[in-house]
């Protein structure tokens, strides 16, 4: 049996004995500045499976950029002091331009 789970994101990423685990979460806006997350599923995979998944998802993101569905935002090079701090990538924003009227299905193979 195959189950489809909708998720807004992931949380609680851990690795133990070569297995990477993370939760799939849905995010609900409960107030103007407050949100709640609810776990809707969990994923466990080996490191090689995680790397294959990363490669596949990177391909999807690149296709979305090529099709103009999302825009890649450029980040500035960190200074020497900031280089020691963790880097948080800005989110990829969706395009709101009227130029993108039709979104073609992704063809990954």
């Amino acid at each position: 049996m195959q189950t489809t789970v909708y998720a807004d994101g992931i949380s609680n990423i851990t690795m133990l004995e070569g297995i990477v685990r993370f939760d799939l979460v849905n995010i609900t806006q409960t107030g103007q500045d407050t949100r709640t997350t609810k776990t809707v599923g969990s994923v466990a995979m080996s490191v090689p499976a995680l790397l294959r998944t990363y490669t596949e998802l990177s391909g999807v993101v690149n296709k979305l950029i090529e099709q103009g569905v999302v825009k890649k935002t450029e980040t500035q090079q960190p200074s020497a002091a900031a280089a020691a701090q963790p880097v948080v990538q800005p989110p990829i924003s969706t395009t709101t331009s009227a130029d993108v009227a039709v979104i073609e299905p992704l063809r990954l193979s």
Side-chain angles (χ1 to χ4, degrees), residues 37-107:
T37 59
K38 176 183 173 186
T39 300
V40 294
S42 296
V43 176
M45 57 178 54
S46 66
V47 172
L50 177 71
L51 294 174
R52 284 191 303 274
T53 302
Y54 174 79
T55 300
E56 290 296 319
L57 289 174
S58 294
V60 171
V61 170
N62 289 335
K63 290 280 186 182
L64 292 172
I65 291 169
E66 288 173 16
Q67 292 179 0
V69 176
V70 296
K71 293 180 184 178
K72 185 176 183 180
T73 55
E74 299 297 324
T75 59
Q76 294 179 350
Q77 295 297 322
S79 65
Q85 299 296 320
V87 176
V88 177
Q89 295 293 331
I92 296 174
S93 60
T94 58
T95 302
T96 57
S97 169
D99 297 338
V100 183
V102 177
I103 299 172
E104 297 294 323
L106 293 177
R107 307 226 191 297

